[in-house]
Amino acid sequence: MAKKRIVMALGHHALGTNLPEQKAAVAETARVIADFIQEGWQVAITHGNSPQVGMIHTAMNEFGKQHDGYSMAPMSVCSAMSQGYIGYDLQNGIRSELVRRGIYRSVSTILTQVTVDTYDEAFYTPVKRIGRYMDAREAALEEEKGNHVAEEPGKGFCRIVASPRPVAIVEIDAIKALMDADQVVIACGGGGIPVMEQGSHLKGASAIIEKDLSSGLLAKEIDADVLMILTGVENVILEYGTPKQHSIHHMTAAAAREYADEGQFEFASMYPKIMASVDFIENGKGRKAVITSLAKAKEGLLGEAGTTIM
């Protein structure tokens, strides 16, 4: 009998912001993931990278400015670097926790490229903020290079990049092979390294893919039973910010889509989580999605906490 599969999408709270925070956060995250593995689940892990990729982008570009002969790093390279160092901490943390429990299983990070459509409309309306704040002179230089910047009152200017939809996972066969071998896989970190097909070549795109959408795509591709999106809140909230605000614990995929169409969910946070869940459920049988916090992951799987979509 085939084991059940789950994709666990880790948000910011599961990783922390800087190196010391990440080390501490990963130790707790590894314990939660190990609980699922110990209970017999095949686990694929995805994660965000927003603070980390911004830190790398800033560091590489500042270094390039100050040292002759060194170029600035494109977004695709920064994304690859973030996958490597977050994956390094996660795979070692999970492995250590498994060994302590007498479970000997390989944990692998797959440097994952995700293709995007060159003509995706998102490239015309960049929304993702990246890197440090700049003054007006630095912002003008960025625009001269063809980059987009936006001003945030009281803070300065910040570079913004597109967030195109994921089309396909380039390394999906390797991910499937590891899952079929009952190994633990960390993939699609930060939404994946965004690439565009140019003949036989994959060219890195100046973009950041929404992590939750890539997580949903991965869950579809490996035919997972559960997509679990772990975030900073325990439940999905309806009528948020109004006197009628309330948590919702169970909803159908059809109801979730209706709520999304009504504008119930914030575009840059809960909306992609809902849409990734709906797409995952509608493209398979017997699937469910759970949106909850890391602390409530086990209860969420049982329907005793969080929001379950079926």
Side-chain angles (χ1 to χ4, degrees):
M1 181 175 173
K3 285 191 174 185
K4 287 194 172 183
R5 288 183 174 179
I6 185 170
V7 171
M8 302 180 73
L10 307 177
H12 167 67
H13 294 271
L15 296 174
T17 299
N18 53 40
L19 285 170
E21 283 185 11
Q22 183 169 304
K23 287 284 187 183
V26 163
E28 175 58 29
T29 299
R31 285 191 285 272
V32 174
I33 293 170
D35 287 341
F36 281 76
I37 296 168
Q38 191 167 22
E39 290 170 8
W41 285 87
Q42 288 185 331
V43 178
I45 300 147
T46 65
H47 60 80
N49 70 345
S50 182
Q52 292 86 354
V53 76
M55 180 174 61
I56 293 168
H57 180 266
T58 299
M60 295 297 292
N61 286 355
E62 291 301 312
F63 187 86
K65 287 178 184 176
Q66 297 174 25
H67 296 81
D68 291 338
Y70 290 89
S71 61
M72 299 179 188
M75 279 304 306
S76 55
V77 172
C78 295
S79 179
M81 289 180 175
S82 73
Q83 282 192 15
Y85 105 76
I86 295 171
Y88 163 70
D89 273 349
L90 277 173
Q91 68 184 42
N92 278 312
I94 296 166
R95 177 188 177 278
S96 295
E97 186 62 31
L98 291 176
V99 169
R100 278 194 288 270
R101 301 181 188 204
I103 302 170
Y104 299 94
R105 192 163 305 167
S106 179
V107 185
S108 303
T109 299
I110 302 293
L111 198 65
T112 316
Q113 301 174 98
V114 175
T115 58
V116 298
D117 184 351
T118 306
Y119 301 103
D120 192 311
E121 290 186 2
F123 284 110
Y124 302 100
T125 54
V127 294
K128 291 282 188 179
R129 298 181 183 275
I130 189 72
R132 65 173 178 82
Y133 287 100
M134 302 174 285
D135 58 30
R137 181 187 62 81
E138 292 173 312
L141 291 174
E142 285 293 323
E143 289 183 322
E144 286 179 10
K145 291 186 288 187
N147 295 325
H148 296 276
V149 298
E151 184 176 9
E152 190 168 334
K155 292 185 177 180
F157 296 83
C158 192
R159 185 179 170 191
I160 54 173
V161 297
S163 184
R165 291 186 62 83
V167 173
I169 299 167
V170 177
E171 288 76 22
I172 191 62
D173 288 342
I175 295 168
K176 286 179 177 178
L178 287 168
M179 296 294 292
D180 289 343
D182 202 22
Q183 303 304 303
V184 183
V185 182
I186 302 163
C188 295
I193 304 164
V195 294
M196 298 178 290
E197 292 184 340
Q198 295 186 347
S200 61
H201 178 64
L202 295 175
K203 178 179 173 57
S206 182
I208 296 176
I209 302 171
E210 178 59 59
K211 174 262 301 178
D212 298 312
L213 297 181
S214 291
S215 300
L217 177 60
L218 175 63
K220 283 197 303 184
E221 290 293 324
I222 65 171
D223 195 20
D225 299 280
V226 178
L227 169 63
M228 178 172 282
I229 299 178
L230 300 170
T231 185
V233 295
E234 184 177 329
N235 289 93
V236 175
I237 304 294
L238 295 179
E239 306 290 346
Y240 182 76
T242 74
K244 297 180 180 179
Q245 175 177 313
H246 63 282
S247 300
I248 185 164
H249 300 283
H250 296 88
M251 57 181 162
T252 64
R257 186 180 288 280
E258 287 181 12
Y259 290 136
D261 291 342
E262 291 171 5
Q264 287 275 1
F265 309 118
E266 204 280 321
F267 180 76
S269 57
M270 189 55 69
Y271 181 81
K273 295 173 175 56
I274 295 294
M275 297 314 296
S277 299
V278 170
D279 186 56
F280 166 65
I281 293 163
E282 290 180 342
N283 283 278
K285 295 181 179 180
R287 295 173 172 179
K288 72 176 180 180
V290 179
I291 302 174
T292 192
S293 64
L294 180 70
K296 295 292 183 178
K298 288 184 285 184
E299 293 95 327
L301 186 64
L302 297 173
E304 297 172 355
T307 299
T308 300
I309 306 172
M310 297 181 70

